[in-house]
Amino acid sequence: MKKIIYSLLFFFVLGNVNAQQTPADNQSTAISIEGATAHLGNGKVIENSLIMFNDGKITFVGSAMMKIARQGTVIKAEGKHVYPGFIAANSTLGLVEIDAVKASDDQREIGISNPHIRSLIAYNAESKVVESMRPNGVLMAQITPRGGTISGTSSIVQLDAWNWEDAALKVDDAIHMNWPGSFTSGRWWLGEDPALKPNPKYAASTSKIKDYFTDAKTYLAGKKEKMHLPYQAMEGLFNGSQKLFIHVSGAREITDAITIAKASGINNIVIVRGEGSESVTDLLVKNNIPVVLNRPHRNPNSEDDAYDYTYTIAKTLTDKGVIVSIGMEGQMERMNTRNLPFYAGTFSAHGLDKEVALQLITSNSAKVLGIDDTTGTLEVGKDATLFISEGDALDMRSNQLTKAYIQGRDISLESHQTKLWKRYSNKYKTE
C-alpha cells in the first residue's frame, strides 16, 4: 500500500514540476520601449519608435525623437522590432492535448446541430501546446469547436492564464457551421470511386439548414413555454450580437450559404476556408463579409487551380477589398498554430505587401473576431499585448522574441521545447 501511495506522490510531484509556467503577475510598473521599429498592425510603421504602457494599457505611441518623459522601466530596443500580439482565428488550441489519447480530445460533441456547445469551458489553459505558441508571438486565439453541421460556439482567449475564466477575452463570440459541398467523392478505403461527382444530397442538406434557421427563429419569437437549448443558443445570430462563421468552399456553396443565412435574418457572417471565394468577391464586399483563409502551406483542393493558388489567394481577395484573416483548420492544426506568422510571411512572399500581410494576423483578425476595440494594433488606449523581436517576425529566420506582454504582463517565453533546445544544445555544443 505504501508503495502505491509513494508512486502516486511521485507522479503528482513530477506532474507539477513539468506543468506550465505560472501565469505572469499584473503589470506593476510602467514600461517604455525605445528605439525599435514599431509595426502598428494597421499598415503603418514607425522607425525609432517610443511605445509606453501602464496598468495593462498603451499610453503612448510615437517617435522616440519627441521630447517626452519616459515612464517607468526603459527598454532600449534599437535595431529590434515591436509588434502587436498575433491572433490565431479558427483554432482548436487547448481542446486537444494528444490526438491519440481520446480522454484529452474535446474538440467535438456527438450530434449534428450543437449551437449550445461552448468550446470555452473545455479550453485547457495549461496545455503544453498552448505554451509553445508564445515564443513566436501568437498571444491570442479563437477557440473553435469542430464536427457536425453546427459545431458550437467559439470564444477568444489570451494565452497566459490559470484557467478558461482568466483566459477569456470575448465569450461566445460566434457560432460555427459546416456547409455541405455540392460535390462529393467516394470512400476509397471502402472500394468506392474516389473521383468527384455531384452530391445528390446537396439540395436536401441545404434545405435542412434553412428549416433549422426558420425553426429557431420561430421558437425565439414565441412564448418559449418549454426551453429548447439549441434554439435558444442561436438568439445572438438573429439580434446581431454573435457572428455566424460558415466553414465552406466553392463559389456556389459560398453564394448559397450567404443567401440562405441572410434570408433567415442572419447578417453578421464570416466565411471560413473560402476556396473559390475569389469568384464571388463582389458578393462578399457588398455584404461586408470577411474571409478566414486556411493556412497556405498545403496543396490546392482542385486540380484546376493554379499551383500557387493557396499562396496568392490572400492578395487576390485583399486587392478586391475583402477583409482577410488566417485560420488554422487542417492536419496538426494545434501544433502548426505556432507557425501563424510564417503563413502571413508566405502570403507576403507571393505578392502581398509585408505590412498588409501583418494585418492578416493582427488588425484584420481583431476586426473579424470583434475585439478590435481593445487589441490588434499598437494604439493608445488598447491592451498592451505586444512583443519585441530581434528581427522580422514574419520570417522564421529572424522571429526571435526577447520580450512579450499580454495586457501589460511580462509573460514567460519558455516552453518544454525551449527547455529541450537548451538542454541538447549544451550536450552537442562544439568548441
Side-chain angles (χ1 to χ4, degrees):
M1 185 65 183
K2 288 183 178 180
K3 288 184 178 180
I4 295 175
I5 293 175
Y6 289 145
S7 296
L8 290 173
L9 287 173
F10 171 79
F11 285 113
F12 176 80
V13 172
L14 182 65
N16 278 280
V17 169
N18 290 324
Q20 183 195 43
Q21 300 92 2
T22 300
D25 294 330
N26 291 336
Q27 184 177 4
S28 58
T29 183
I31 301 290
S32 299
I33 303 172
E34 182 178 1
T37 298
H39 304 262
L40 304 189
N42 57 7
K44 298 179 181 179
V45 178
I46 301 177
E47 303 287 348
N48 189 22
S49 68
L50 175 62
I51 310 290
M52 296 191 289
F53 53 94
N54 195 14
D55 293 327
K57 297 291 183 180
I58 298 174
T59 57
F60 182 84
V61 177
S63 171
M65 300 298 290
M66 295 182 65
K67 294 183 179 180
I68 182 173
R70 276 51 172 165
Q71 299 176 357
T73 301
V74 178
I75 298 175
K76 296 292 186 179
E78 290 82 359
K80 298 181 181 180
H81 298 255
V82 177
Y83 294 86
F86 297 152
I87 308 167
N90 185 30
S91 167
T92 53
L93 277 175
L95 299 183
V96 183
E97 191 68 7
I98 302 172
D99 290 283
V101 179
K102 190 173 182 179
S104 74
D105 187 336
D106 212 4
Q107 65 181 319
R108 67 183 67 208
E109 291 292 338
I110 296 172
I112 301 300
S113 298
N114 295 314
H116 56 299
I117 296 299
R118 304 175 65 226
S119 62
L120 179 62
I121 61 174
Y123 174 70
N124 176 19
E126 292 192 314
S127 165
K128 286 189 176 294
V129 183
V130 169
E131 174 185 281
S132 68
M133 300 298 114
R134 302 193 299 257
N136 278 358
V138 182
L139 306 182
M140 293 163 283
Q142 179 192 42
I143 308 306
T144 307
R146 299 279 185 255
T149 299
I150 302 179
S151 305
T153 303
S154 60
S155 291
I156 319 299
V157 300
Q158 52 85 6
L159 304 183
D160 182 64
W162 286 107
N163 49 49
W164 64 263
E165 293 98 328
D166 295 340
L169 292 177
K170 186 171 184 178
V171 175
D172 300 336
D173 69 296
I175 290 176
H176 292 252
M177 162 175 283
N178 294 303
W179 198 263
S182 61
F183 283 83
T184 185
S185 58
R187 297 166 293 182
W188 60 266
W189 59 93
L190 295 179
E192 298 174 354
D193 181 7
L196 282 175
K197 59 183 77 66
N199 180 4
K201 298 180 181 180
Y202 179 71
S205 297
T206 56
S207 180
K208 284 182 180 179
I209 292 172
K210 184 177 180 180
D211 290 344
Y212 194 88
F213 287 157
T214 300
D215 291 345
K217 194 173 183 180
T218 301
Y219 164 83
L220 291 167
K223 293 183 179 180
K224 307 177 188 175
E225 295 178 355
K226 186 177 180 181
M227 170 67 76
H228 190 291
L229 194 56
Y231 289 166
Q232 187 64 47
M234 295 182 69
E235 184 173 18
L237 296 182
F238 298 105
N239 65 26
S241 62
Q242 277 184 311
K243 296 185 179 183
L244 177 62
F245 277 59
I246 307 177
H247 299 234
V248 56
S249 292
R252 175 187 175 184
E253 289 86 343
I254 293 171
T255 302
D256 289 345
I258 293 171
T259 301
I260 289 175
K262 291 187 69 66
S264 301
I266 302 171
N267 296 307
N268 214 346
I269 301 168
V270 176
I271 296 299
V272 185
R273 294 202 300 261
E275 287 89 349
S277 56
E278 73 283 356
S279 301
V280 292
T281 52
D282 289 344
L283 177 65
L284 296 171
V285 172
K286 178 182 177 181
N287 291 283
N288 192 30
I289 296 175
V291 175
V292 178
L293 292 173
N294 274 355
R295 53 190 195 254
H297 296 177
R298 56 190 173 84
N299 292 327
N301 282 352
S302 172
E303 60 183 17
D304 295 326
D305 291 332
Y307 73 93
D308 59 353
Y309 172 83
T310 63
Y311 298 155
T312 60
I313 187 173
K315 175 173 172 55
T316 301
L317 295 178
T318 300
D319 288 349
K320 293 288 186 178
V322 178
I323 296 176
V324 176
S325 181
I326 303 176
M328 293 296 109
E329 193 168 351
Q331 292 184 339
M332 295 188 67
E333 61 179 86
R334 290 162 295 283
M335 298 73 173
N336 279 318
T337 300
R338 69 174 70 101
N339 293 321
L340 177 66
F342 313 138
Y343 300 143
T346 296
F347 285 133
S348 173
H350 289 80
L352 205 59
D353 178 80
K354 180 61 71 72
E355 298 305 317
V356 175
L358 175 65
Q359 289 178 259
L360 304 188
I361 56 176
T362 54
S363 59
N364 282 12
S365 281
K367 290 176 184 175
V368 171
L369 303 184
I371 55 173
D372 53 311
D373 57 333
T374 58
T375 192
T377 55
L378 299 178
E379 293 182 61
V380 173
K382 290 194 174 183
D383 289 349
T385 300
L386 51 90
F387 64 88
I388 304 172
S389 174
E390 291 283 357
D392 180 358
L394 303 191
D395 188 331
M396 66 176 65
R397 297 168 298 182
S398 52
N399 179 321
Q400 299 178 35
L401 273 62
T402 56
K403 280 286 186 180
Y405 302 88
I406 292 179
Q407 296 173 324
R409 298 181 295 111
D410 187 355
I411 67 171
S412 172
L413 294 175
E414 283 290 325
S415 71
H416 62 292
Q417 292 178 324
T418 59
K419 291 175 182 177
L420 288 172
W421 173 73
K422 290 177 181 178
R423 176 184 179 186
Y424 287 102
S425 63
N426 286 331
K427 178 179 181 180
Y428 293 109
K429 64 183 178 181
T430 56
E431 297 298 332

